[in-house]
Amino acid sequence: MMKRSNTTRSLCALSALAALVAFAPQAAEAQARIDAELAFDGTSALRGAQAGGVYLGPQIAFNDDADFGIGVGLEFDLPSIDPNLSYMGDLTFFFPDGFDYFEFNANLAYDFDVGDGSVTPFALSGLNVGRLSGEGESNFENTEVGLNIGGGVKFDAGSVSPRIMGRFDLFSKESFTLSFFVPFQVAN
């Protein structure tokens, strides 16, 4: 198989990110219309009783070993366990030179109440599964499992609440990843 050039990878990455950014707000807008219709017919009380929310959106990341990446993030609140606890997961594809790398992360995050509400710091811990492969003179494939530990900040900017987070992957590739996630609420 032919090796992809940096320009091709960059174009693929930017195209995928543009598609994520273009379609995610439409899903959030559709959910808002459904919520408005439910509120009108009086059946939203049941939905309101189910505390918490589900968020989906695009994510960009930079890893100190695998360079630039794009992906999709998923977050949902876990109020039945603790009102400050949430699940934060993502699937991110990175574009390093000479090999392909993607990872799946499943983390629990704990929000710290600092009173302001517009900025909420959080700590996270969870699992990382990374898949590395390459072709050429020496074909290789490797899957590693690691432990994530890190934290970040959630910003309440009205209808958009971006998150910036940093995490260390321990026990596998031992790297640091900085990511920016723009979630859109898709369910209550």
Side-chain angles (χ1 to χ4, degrees), residues 61-87:
F62 181 80
N63 179 282
D64 61 357
D65 288 336
D67 299 328
F68 174 75
I70 60 169
V72 62
L74 170 68
E75 180 179 345
F76 55 87
D77 300 326
L78 300 169
S80 61
I81 299 171
D82 187 296
N84 293 339
L85 195 64
S86 63
Y87 167 85

Side-chain angles (χ1 to χ4, degrees), residues 10 19 21 36 49 66 91 95 104 113 115 120 130 132 141 169 175 181:
S10 297
V21 171
L91 176 64
F95 303 96
F104 169 76
D113 185 11
T120 305
L132 176 72
E141 293 182 359
D169 173 26
S175 65
F181 171 49

